[in-house]
Amino acid sequence: MKSEKIFVTLQPNLKTDMAEQDNNTRRKAKRQQPVDNTYGHLQPQAPEVEKAILGALMIDKDAYAIVCEMLYPESFYEPRNQMVYAAIRDLSMAEKPVDVLTVTDRLAKDGHLEEVGGPTYIAELSSRVASSANIEYHASIIAQKFLARQLISFASVIETKALDETSDIDDLMQEAEGSLFELSQRNMKKDYTQINPVIRQALDVIQKASANTDGLTGVASGYHKLDDITSGWQASDLVIIAGRPAMGKTSFALSMAKNIAADYHIPLAFFSLEMSNVQLVNRLISNACEIQGSKILNGQLQPDEWDRLDKRVNQLLDAPLYVDDTPGLSVFELRTKARRLVREHGVKMIMIDYLQLMNANGMRFSSRQEEVSTISRSLKGLAKELDIPILALSQLNRGVESREGLEGKRPQLSDLRESGAIEQDADMVLFVHRPEYYHIYQDDNGRDLHGMAQIIIAKHRKGATGDVLLTFRGEYTRFENPEDTRISHSSTPPISGEIIGSKINGENQPLPDGPLPF
């Protein structure tokens, strides 16, 4: 009986303990459940760090120089801190002392002193810190918080527009990509580098170049005289190939693409904004197989041409040539595709036909010239980022047509269409010029220009400028080395393949007697 009483006495306590344990288990499980934090977030901010930065700026005259490239008034979350920083910035830019008294006076003149909390708040800021030793680290925290707020705002705007059924999704994609690109560009900072590692890198490049017996340090074009001047298309360079309509600039680009991808097996991407992929490949087949383009279209080939097609088309099969015919390609789409091509296929060079057909959707411009300037600047930035050459074709304005004579028809840098920024951003500018098109059959030196094209190197940041003569075979949309033309067509009169002019560092250089040194 005693044990039974004990059992009865203990049973309620046992139940209570079990119930409490069960409640604890439920509470623990509830705490472990994922919480929907989509709404109710605080904006990324660090008010105490903001105050520490402002205080440090008022006790160290050199502190502003450390943070001026990292922080702007809008980088601060609290409006009153924005006003204080703006006052400090204005004083620093005017080369005036920055301390509690001068900042207070500046805020009073701007009418913001009472808004920030009066002289008491300014004095409080300066009393919070003893030195500016950690100001750079603190500034990086504020910069990151500001960037996070910008991203949240960007995502919110895109989400709102995506939920709007009247929005065009393709346009929204362009706008989103453009806005994100602008955001990344504004926040992209690159610090200086001490020269020693750069010298070592340059010496490595020179040593590697010395191992090349042909003197090429970049991607070979397949045109020997041109490669002699350029040493190949160099990594991180933006090369503009320009010409009036019917000069053959697209044929020149395709001929190079065939040389690079099919003959040298160097991965290359060709973005065609003007022609479809099939049209592009038809021209490549005409080029490689030496079959007239009209016959490629109608299929009326002679037996020997069918044989030539069967044998030579194999040059193009399995070539590391990637073509994209997206119409109205934007610089942001190009950036995305180019990164993937380089990462997945090891692409070493990009060609674009042509620059004026591109756009910068998602960004606002006051004129087409401003948009073209942004496009050319973006292409140069992409070449540097991917460390590969980018060749972009460009139109010339009609100024060429109104000029007379051999020299008058010769393209000039000022003829580049729609924007002077193209000339400024490009590392090299080449013109494709066929005097024969203007019924000019002989140059000033008496050279025969029938069936010839001048490749005019008008700008070359890294070397000489000059002209190179190539054979143009329009029926095959093909450019050739003149010496190759002589070999394949020995019955035709020999054509000079000399470089017909050269400038080094902007100065005219006389042509030497005998073989050229290139």
Side-chain angles (χ1 to χ4, degrees):
M1 291 295 293
K2 186 176 180 181
S3 62
E4 187 176 352
K5 288 181 181 178
I6 293 172
F7 177 79
V8 173
T9 303
L10 292 176
Q11 187 69 15
N13 294 335
L14 180 61
K15 288 182 177 180
T16 302
D17 292 341
M18 291 178 65
E20 186 175 351
Q21 183 179 359
D22 190 43
N23 287 335
N24 289 337
T25 303
R26 282 197 296 270
R27 282 195 295 269
K28 185 177 179 181
K30 188 176 181 180
R31 286 196 302 269
Q32 291 176 343
Q33 288 178 355
V35 179
D36 184 5
N37 290 323
T38 305
Y39 301 100
H41 279 302
L42 285 174
Q43 286 279 305
Q45 55 185 284
E48 295 304 314
V49 179
E50 291 182 4
K51 292 176 181 178
I53 290 173
L54 296 174
L57 289 170
M58 286 188 285
I59 65 171
D60 186 347
K61 63 182 179 64
D62 297 322
Y64 179 75
I66 299 173
V67 302
C68 63
E69 292 186 358
M70 301 171 63
L71 299 180
Y72 311 95
E74 59 269 23
S75 302
F76 292 79
Y77 180 72
E78 290 196 6
R80 60 179 179 175
N81 292 341
Q82 294 180 5
M83 297 177 194
V84 174
Y85 184 78
I88 293 172
R89 180 192 61 180
D90 293 344
L91 288 169
S92 298
M93 292 178 68
E95 298 184 356
K96 294 181 179 179
V98 177
D99 55 35
V100 174
L101 295 177
T102 57
V103 172
T104 301
D105 181 64
R106 180 72 188 195
L107 287 167
K109 288 180 178 178
D110 293 339
H112 298 315
L113 184 58
E114 295 306 318
E115 289 183 67
V116 304
T120 304
Y121 183 68
I122 307 302
E124 178 191 341
L125 290 174
S126 65
S127 66
R128 299 178 69 91
V129 292
S131 77
S132 61
N134 299 321
I135 192 169
E136 187 171 6
Y137 177 71
H138 290 160
S140 68
I141 294 174
I142 298 303
Q144 289 296 307
K145 298 292 184 185
F146 175 54
L147 179 57
R149 294 197 300 273
Q150 287 181 299
L151 287 171
I152 290 170
S153 177
F154 161 77
S156 177
V157 170
I158 297 302
E159 180 184 24
T160 302
K161 292 186 176 181
L163 291 170
D164 184 356
E165 294 186 358
T166 62
S167 297
D168 184 279
I169 296 301
D170 291 334
D171 290 344
L172 183 58
M173 284 284 290
Q174 294 282 346
E175 181 182 344
E177 200 166 9
S179 299
L180 192 59
F181 175 74
E182 279 189 287
L183 187 59
S184 66
Q185 289 295 105
R186 285 200 304 268
N187 291 278
M188 188 179 295
K189 295 287 185 291
K190 188 170 182 180
D191 206 356
Y192 52 79
T193 302
Q194 200 275 333
I195 195 171
N196 288 2
V198 184
I199 290 176
R200 285 193 289 270
Q201 184 179 353
L203 290 175
D204 288 342
V205 172
I206 294 172
Q207 288 174 349
K208 289 178 182 178
S210 67
N212 298 329
T213 56
D214 53 11
L216 293 179
T217 56
V219 178
S221 69
Y223 301 113
H224 313 313
K225 302 300 181 183
L226 182 60
D227 288 337
D228 286 342
I229 297 178
T230 65
S231 297
W233 307 120
Q234 302 297 311
S236 79
D237 274 6
L238 172 61
V239 180
I240 299 296
I241 299 174
R244 288 290 295 154
M247 288 297 106
K249 56 184 179 297
T250 301
S251 299
F252 179 55
L254 281 174
S255 295
M256 278 198 296
K258 179 259 178 187
N259 294 342
I260 293 167
D263 297 346
Y264 303 145
H265 304 288
I266 297 173
L268 180 144
F270 197 107
F271 289 87
S272 174
L273 286 77
E274 193 171 31
M275 293 184 291
S276 69
N277 284 342
V278 174
Q279 290 174 314
L280 200 68
V281 170
N282 280 344
R283 294 186 71 168
L284 278 171
I285 291 173
S286 174
N287 183 303
C289 302
E290 296 186 61
I291 299 172
Q292 292 182 14
S294 58
K295 292 187 176 183
I296 296 289
L297 286 176
N298 60 35
Q300 302 302 306
L301 276 66
Q302 298 299 319
D304 64 311
E305 292 171 331
W306 281 113
D307 291 340
R308 199 155 63 243
L309 176 66
D310 290 339
K311 292 176 182 177
R312 296 192 185 181
V313 79
N314 291 326
Q315 297 176 14
L316 301 177
L317 292 174
D318 298 324
L321 177 59
Y322 305 92
V323 294
D324 186 303
D325 61 357
T326 302
L329 184 72
S330 74
V331 289
F332 315 115
E333 289 178 300
L334 174 67
R335 182 179 294 271
T336 301
K337 292 182 177 184
R339 284 171 175 164
R340 191 170 73 245
L341 284 163
V342 170
R343 182 177 66 250
E344 297 177 3
H345 301 289
V347 162
K348 301 297 183 186
M349 186 170 174
I350 289 174
M351 291 185 177
I352 302 164
D353 182 19
Y354 57 92
L355 186 148
Q356 278 82 7
L357 290 178
M358 296 185 70
N359 63 68
N361 284 353
M363 300 175 68
R364 295 183 179 88
F365 303 98
S366 58
S367 65
R368 174 59 179 168
Q369 286 77 10
E370 187 179 337
E371 184 175 16
V372 171
S373 298
T374 298
I375 292 168
S376 67
R377 187 167 61 250
S378 299
L379 292 179
K380 174 57 184 174
L382 183 60
K384 288 181 66 177
E385 175 191 336
L386 301 178
D387 197 32
I388 61 174
I390 292 182
L391 271 68
L393 275 61
S394 176
Q395 291 279 19
L396 296 179
N397 59 41
R398 292 187 176 89
V400 176
E401 310 298 334
S402 62
R403 300 195 295 260
E404 298 295 332
L406 178 64
E407 285 301 312
K409 297 301 182 184
R410 182 183 174 89
Q412 303 170 8
L413 289 171
S414 58
D415 295 325
L416 284 169
R417 187 173 175 181
E418 288 186 316
S419 178
I422 298 175
E423 175 189 348
Q424 296 169 13
D425 294 329
D427 296 280
M428 193 181 304
V429 178
L430 285 74
F431 295 122
V432 180
H433 179 51
R434 294 194 298 113
E436 183 182 23
Y437 180 82
Y438 297 106
H439 308 292
I440 299 171
Y441 304 110
Q442 199 172 60
D443 67 10
D444 291 338
N445 296 318
R447 293 182 176 87
D448 184 10
L449 298 177
H450 284 88
M452 303 301 292
Q454 294 177 340
I455 307 301
I456 303 167
I457 304 175
K459 177 184 178 181
H460 189 189
R461 234 174 225 150
K462 300 177 181 177
T465 60
D467 299 357
V468 174
L469 277 179
L470 296 178
T471 304
F472 176 65
R473 303 179 67 190
E475 69 274 24
Y476 306 139
T477 64
R478 177 184 173 108
F479 281 74
E480 296 178 347
N481 290 302
E483 57 270 27
D484 297 338
T485 305
R486 288 198 295 270
I487 293 172
S488 59
H489 302 279
S490 56
S491 59
T492 60
I495 303 171
S496 171
E498 295 177 342
I499 298 170
I500 60 176
S502 180
K503 289 183 180 179
I504 299 177
N505 296 327
E507 297 295 330
N508 289 314
Q509 301 295 314
L511 291 176
D513 297 329
L516 287 168
F518 297 107

